[in-house]
Amino acid sequence: MADRIACINPNCRRTAPADKYEQGVMIICGKCFRAIPARFRQRYRELKRRGKRLTRLVQKPRTSHEARAKQWDNISDQMDRADRVLWDAMRAYFTDAAAPPAGLDNFLKETGIGL
């Protein structure tokens, strides 16, 4: 399994090739990504857009090289923290024992059993 990276959902058996990603990277397969609540998907896309935009802004030649490097370090640290918080929340969603399995709440509502 060293040449594969497992999805963050422990019940999912999907993997991705490790040679396509950096060391220590976490992945979530498309099926599990669609199963998480919309707020996680929205936050993921928001962080991705914000990261691209900030990268473009910092690379503009408006400021000195030293100022840009310092700005980039600050922005990079903030984005890394936000990314870690999001991935921890997504992983907790799948591993939280108190939460019902993904999709169960909709099934229970449709059958009239759920709240």
Side-chain angles (χ1 to χ4, degrees):
M1 190 79 151
D3 58 339
R4 307 291 292 178
I5 302 171
C7 177
I8 63 170
N9 181 356
N11 298 322
C12 180
R13 300 183 70 180
R14 292 194 169 116
T15 61
D19 57 351
K20 288 187 177 182
Y21 300 95
E22 295 178 17
Q23 182 72 19
V25 139
M26 294 181 288
I27 63 155
I28 183 168
C29 70
K31 183 178 178 183
C32 293
F33 186 74
R34 287 185 297 276
I36 60 175
R39 67 181 187 273
F40 291 134
R41 293 190 307 268
Q42 182 180 7
R43 180 68 174 157
Y44 176 82
R45 290 180 183 118
E46 179 183 310
L47 287 175
K48 191 174 178 178
R49 275 193 312 268
R50 190 176 294 170
K52 286 181 182 181
R53 182 170 182 257
L54 291 173
T55 300
R56 283 192 312 268
L57 289 174
V58 170
Q59 291 175 350
K60 284 188 177 181
R62 282 190 269 165
T63 57
S64 70
H65 179 67
E66 295 82 22
R68 274 190 301 205
K70 188 174 182 178
Q71 280 179 328
W72 180 247
D73 288 342
N74 291 337
I75 290 169
S76 180
D77 290 344
Q78 291 174 359
M79 293 298 291
D80 288 344
R81 268 194 308 275
D83 199 42
R84 272 194 309 274
V85 167
L86 175 64
W87 279 93
D88 289 344
M90 287 192 299
R91 192 172 41 249
Y93 174 77
F94 288 115
T95 58
D96 187 13
L104 184 60
D105 53 344
N106 289 333
F107 173 75
L108 293 175
K109 286 178 187 175
E110 289 174 2
T111 57
I113 300 171
L115 299 173

